[in-house]
């Protein structure tokens, strides 16, 4: 039997496979396809203080080995989550994180404080990296002082696992990681999507309503892997790696690069059962290579 | 999610083909309007599944038909599938049409281009339930009018073409049947301008009308929120809240 448990700052996950925010709904969308309690964690859809209709459509463009999205944090707001969604999902036997986003620091504080009251939510993923909203979001995550400021403010009201989701659209992601670590982040997750765009040459118009969007899928994997490796060397807190993971092999690469856990995102759209397959594949790999614990391969890259 | 087997890949012309799929086990029950998310294998430029409307279901023969228009690399790849090949589908997805209680209701099903696909399934379904249907099918030219023989099994077929090569010349909304008969319900699927014109006709004449929308999708089951359309209830996913919408709900 292989030990799959991993430590993520203040909490322990039963295994290192999580699903990424915005790609897994609230988990309930996947209940027809798989047993969601098998995976180590679910990060639910980005939640904001108030209801957001998100961006106009078109919101999606397929790209070679990936996709651009410009959803823009469509959600019904934190109160709706607390009153209607939380009761539905709280008894699922996995670690459920709420991705928290905002336009102002006060938004982040108020939303995080409300989530802090929920017993069955062991952590939040502070989203300071969404490229698809006009104010807030990525604006907070692209400079060290503003990233530090929002984490510091949220830390005061949020007592559980505070994971901070980082943007790759920066000069040095390691510097941002260090800045949020210094303000009390328990872990960091990366990468959010890369800023990108798509053009319809016939119409001479952008494909997305917002002109630019966030690129995800296997196209971004080498970038993500490199950033996870850089950040893991720069901070002491655990790193959660994501970006284009399609199978167990991809996930193992992130673990070797220094990630304590991984998040599966875009791949869920193509194979809604992929997260379970990744989990099984990691277990098989560990057995084949005679490891007794997944922790033995975290950061085990030989250079 | 299920692997189906290609029983036949029927080319209609250089633009359209019908994939007749079957399975070892009994196919699940499907409703008209619902669609499948079809995985396209071995196409480097095709990353996401392709949402394709269910065209026809024959439970006795355990057949599921998909009518596909070749648009890009993904559908081109699907057009090359051969008998015996395996295709992975997530289905059935989405909602269905609202059927009136009165079996004597005069129903009009309007389809344009590849949008005729769900109209055949709806027509056969209504036929099985004992309703009589009228089909009004439009295309640019005669070669765009598909499956006319199949449609005629389930009701009266009227056609329009923009060049007059088949049926009445003009758009579906210009067809004389709209002036000759009163309809209790209209169902439509096709290019957006066509559906909008049909919706305008229905609104003007106070006829119940549902449209089946098409949109680019990433997942097809309500997780990605990419395929929304604007409605009186805000942005709703075409994949789970649709693809069938009552025209009074749409803000378009």
């Amino acid at each position: 039997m292989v030990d799959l448990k991993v430590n993520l700052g203040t909490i322990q996950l039963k295994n290192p496979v999580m699903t990424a925010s915005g790609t897994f709904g609230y988990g309930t969308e996947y209940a027809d396809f798989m047993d969601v309690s098998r995976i180590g964690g679910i990060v639910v859809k980005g939640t904001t203080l108030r209801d957001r209709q998100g961006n106009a459509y078109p919101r999606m463009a397929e790209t070679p080995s990936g996709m651009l999205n410009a959803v823009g944090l469509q959600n019904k707001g934190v109160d709706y989550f607390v009153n209607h969604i939380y009761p539905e999902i709280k008894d699922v036997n996995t670690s459920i994180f709420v991705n928290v986003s905002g336009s102002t620091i006060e938004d982040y504080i108020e939303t995080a404080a409300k989530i802090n009251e929920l017993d069955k939510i062991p952590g939040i993923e502070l989203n300071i990296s969404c490229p698809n909203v006009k104010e807030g979001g990525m604006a907070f995550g692209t400079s060290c002082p503003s990233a530090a400021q929002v984490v510091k403010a949220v830390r005061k009201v949020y007592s559980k696992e505070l994971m901070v989701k980082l943007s790759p659209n920066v000069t040095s992601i390691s510097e941002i990681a260090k800045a949020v670590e210094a303000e009390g982040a328990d872990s960091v997750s990366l990468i959010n999507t890369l800023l990108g765009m798509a053009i319809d040459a016939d119409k001479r118009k952008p494909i997305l309503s917002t002109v630019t969007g966030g690129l995800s899928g296997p196209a971004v994997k080498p970038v993500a892997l490199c950033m996870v490796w850089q950040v893991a060397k720069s901070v002491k807190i655990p790193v959660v790696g994501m970006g284009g993971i399609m199978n167990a092999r991809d996930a193992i690469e992130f673990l070797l690069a220094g990630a304590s856990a991984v998040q599966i995102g875009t791949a869920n759209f193509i194979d809604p059962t992929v997260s379970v397959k990744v989990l099984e594949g990691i277990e098989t790999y560990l057995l084949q290579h005679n490891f007794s614990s997944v922790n033995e391969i975290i950061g085990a890259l030989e250079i | 999610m299920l692997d189906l087997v290609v029983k036949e890949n029927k080319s209609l012309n250089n633009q359209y083909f019908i994939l007749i799929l079957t399975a070892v086990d009994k196919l699940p029950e499907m409703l008209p309007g619902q669609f499948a998310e079809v995985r396209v294998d071995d196409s480097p430029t095709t990353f996401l599944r392709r949402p394709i409307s269910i065209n026809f279901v024959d439970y006795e023969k355990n057949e599921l038909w998909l009518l596909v228009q070749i648009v890009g690399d993904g559908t081109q790849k699907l057009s090359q599938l051969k008998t015996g090949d395996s295709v992975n589908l997530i289905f059935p997805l989405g909602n269905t049409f609202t059927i009136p209680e009165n079996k004597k209701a005069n129903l009009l099903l309007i389809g344009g281009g590849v949008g005729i696909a769900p109209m055949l399934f709806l027509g056969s379904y209504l036929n099985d339930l004992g309703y009589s249907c009228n089909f009004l099918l439009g295309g640019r030219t005669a070669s765009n009018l598909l499956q006319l023989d199949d449609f005629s099994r389930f009701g009266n077929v009227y056609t329009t073409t923009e060049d007059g090569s088949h049926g009445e010349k003009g758009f579906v909304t210009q067809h004389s049947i709209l002036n000759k008969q009163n309809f209790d319900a209209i169902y439509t699927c096709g290019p957006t301008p066509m559906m909008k014109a049909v919706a305008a006709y229905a609104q003007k004449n106070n006829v119940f009308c549902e449209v089946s929308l098409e949109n680019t999708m990433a997942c097809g089951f309500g997780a990605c929120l990419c395929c929304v359309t604007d409605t009186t209830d805000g942005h709703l996913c075409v994949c789970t809240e649709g693809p069938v919408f009552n025209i009074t709900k749409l803000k378009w």
Side-chain angles (χ1 to χ4, degrees):
Chain A
M1 202 50 195
V2 196
D3 181 13
L4 290 167
K5 292 190 289 294
V6 292
N7 291 313
L8 208 63
T10 62
I11 60 167
Q12 190 172 60
L13 301 182
K14 63 181 167 188
N15 66 62
V17 179
M18 307 170 73
T19 50
S21 179
T23 68
F24 209 70
Y26 297 98
T28 47
E29 290 83 348
Y30 285 79
D32 284 348
F33 301 110
M34 59 178 268
D35 176 4
V36 293
S37 71
R38 284 191 63 189
I39 54 177
I42 296 172
V43 187
V44 303
K45 178 74 192 152
T47 301
T48 51
L49 186 58
R50 281 176 237 297
D51 169 271
R52 282 182 62 93
Q53 280 296 309
N55 293 322
Y57 48 91
R59 291 178 169 184
M60 196 275 286
E62 190 179 32
T63 67
S65 295
M67 61 176 274
L68 286 158
N69 90 80
V71 172
L73 296 172
Q74 179 176 330
N75 78 101
K76 291 184 174 169
V78 68
D79 290 335
Y80 186 87
F81 175 81
V82 169
N83 297 322
H84 299 278
I85 296 167
Y86 175 67
E88 296 293 313
I89 64 173
K90 68 181 174 59
D91 295 322
V92 177
N93 185 23
T94 184
S95 300
I96 298 174
F97 296 77
V98 177
N99 180 285
V100 170
S101 201
S103 305
T104 64
I105 296 222
E106 290 70 32
D107 283 3
Y108 278 103
I109 293 170
E110 211 176 317
T111 309
K114 289 183 183 210
I115 304 292
N116 198 47
E117 301 302 311
L118 306 176
D119 288 344
K120 301 283 183 66
I121 303 289
I124 59 171
E125 180 179 62
L126 199 68
N127 184 356
I128 56 168
S129 45
C130 178
N132 292 327
V133 289
K134 277 203 185 81
E135 63 275 323
M138 197 170 84
F140 285 107
T142 48
S143 90
C144 290
S146 60
Q149 193 188 5
V150 64
V151 172
K152 185 178 184 177
V154 170
R155 183 74 285 180
K156 283 184 187 149
V157 300
Y158 194 75
S159 59
K160 300 178 218 174
E161 173 79 12
L162 176 55
M163 177 164 46
V164 182
K165 189 168 184 177
L166 305 181
S167 171
N169 304 303
V170 293
T171 309
S172 170
I173 195 165
S174 299
E175 292 305 315
I176 309 276
K178 284 195 267 188
V180 303
E181 180 185 39
E183 295 301 342
D186 296 309
S187 56
V188 285
S189 59
L190 59 138
I191 58 176
N192 204 322
T193 54
L194 280 150
L195 204 56
M197 77 188 269
I199 292 173
D200 182 329
D202 289 324
K203 294 180 183 160
R204 291 181 288 283
K205 282 181 186 299
I207 292 177
L208 299 174
S209 68
T210 47
V211 184
T212 62
L215 180 66
S216 63
V220 311
K221 199 193 96 182
V223 177
L225 205 51
C226 172
M227 289 186 167
V228 164
W229 179 67
Q230 288 172 331
V231 169
K233 287 193 300 178
S234 310
V235 295
K236 292 189 181 69
I237 53 175
V239 175
V240 176
M242 80 192 93
I245 295 174
M246 296 298 285
N247 51 47
R249 206 88 199 159
D250 293 337
I252 290 160
E253 290 171 24
F254 276 88
L255 297 174
L256 290 169
S260 296
V262 293
Q263 290 182 16
I264 317 282
T266 308
N268 293 310
F269 301 150
I270 296 145
D271 179 356
T273 65
V274 67
S275 50
V276 170
K277 289 175 185 161
V278 168
L279 175 60
E280 289 168 349
I282 292 173
E283 203 167 357
T284 305
Y285 172 90
L286 294 171
L287 285 168
Q288 278 171 350
H289 293 264
N290 293 317
F291 291 112
S292 57
S293 162
V294 67
N295 288 288
E296 291 170 51
I297 67 165
I298 293 171
L301 183 70
E302 295 174 20
I303 295 176
Chain B
M1 198 165 53
L2 204 61
D3 283 320
L4 299 189
V5 178
V6 178
K7 194 166 176 181
E8 194 185 345
N9 183 347
K10 226 160 68 175
S11 173
L12 299 182
N13 55 45
N14 61 0
Q15 240 192 316
Y16 300 94
F17 62 98
I18 299 170
L19 280 179
I20 300 177
L21 306 173
T22 189
V24 181
D25 297 322
K26 207 171 147 242
L27 288 168
E29 203 159 304
M30 291 164 259
L31 293 168
Q34 292 189 307
F35 64 99
E37 275 278 30
V38 183
R39 198 178 71 204
V40 183
D41 296 327
D42 307 316
S43 172
T45 53
T46 311
F47 178 60
L48 299 165
R49 288 174 181 262
R50 292 293 179 268
I52 296 173
S53 186
I54 294 169
N55 176 223
F56 184 66
V57 181
D58 188 328
Y59 293 107
E60 272 175 38
K61 292 186 186 166
N62 209 34
E63 284 178 1
L64 159 60
W65 294 21
L66 300 176
L67 171 65
V68 190
Q69 180 178 15
I70 300 174
V71 180
D73 293 349
T75 44
Q76 182 73 49
K77 199 79 196 174
L78 292 177
S79 75
Q80 292 158 8
L81 287 169
K82 291 182 181 61
T83 303
D85 285 349
S86 175
V87 198
N88 185 274
L89 267 67
I90 301 175
F91 78 106
L93 297 166
N95 67 355
T96 186
F97 295 93
T98 313
I99 313 293
E101 277 179 33
N102 178 8
K103 299 227 167 170
K104 296 215 162 56
N106 197 21
L107 308 177
L108 180 63
L109 283 62
I110 306 180
V114 77
I116 65 153
M119 292 299 126
L120 181 66
F121 186 20
L122 177 60
S124 73
Y125 181 83
L126 288 167
N127 202 261
D128 287 346
L129 292 175
Y131 294 86
S132 55
C133 302
N134 299 285
F135 299 102
L136 174 52
L137 309 172
R140 261 188 218 113
T141 182
S143 65
N144 293 143
L145 295 171
L146 311 166
Q147 300 184 295
L148 294 180
D149 291 344
D150 292 311
F151 277 104
S152 62
R153 286 164 56 201
F154 307 115
N156 306 314
V157 180
Y158 305 92
T159 61
T160 61
T161 48
E162 288 170 39
D163 62 3
S165 56
H166 197 291
E168 291 186 16
K169 187 173 176 182
F171 297 118
V172 284
T173 41
Q174 295 167 326
H175 197 280
S176 58
I177 187 166
L178 294 174
N179 298 321
K180 287 180 197 154
Q181 290 191 31
N182 289 320
F183 296 100
D184 300 304
I186 297 176
Y187 307 98
T188 185
C189 183
T192 304
M194 186 205 88
M195 288 194 289
K196 282 187 179 176
V198 170
Y201 168 86
Q203 214 137 27
K204 194 176 144 211
N205 293 281
N206 208 16
V207 182
F208 174 90
C209 180
E210 285 181 334
V211 300
S212 177
L213 299 184
E214 186 187 44
N215 208 335
T216 48
M217 294 177 185
C219 69
F221 44 86
C224 72
L225 309 187
C226 288
C227 69
V228 295
T229 194
D230 205 9
T231 73
T232 51
D233 294 335
H235 282 150
L236 295 182
C237 283
V238 169
C239 66
T240 48
E241 309 276 350
V244 179
F245 291 92
N246 191 297
I247 54 165
T248 56
K249 202 170 184 180
L250 291 174
K251 288 162 82 174
W252 58 352

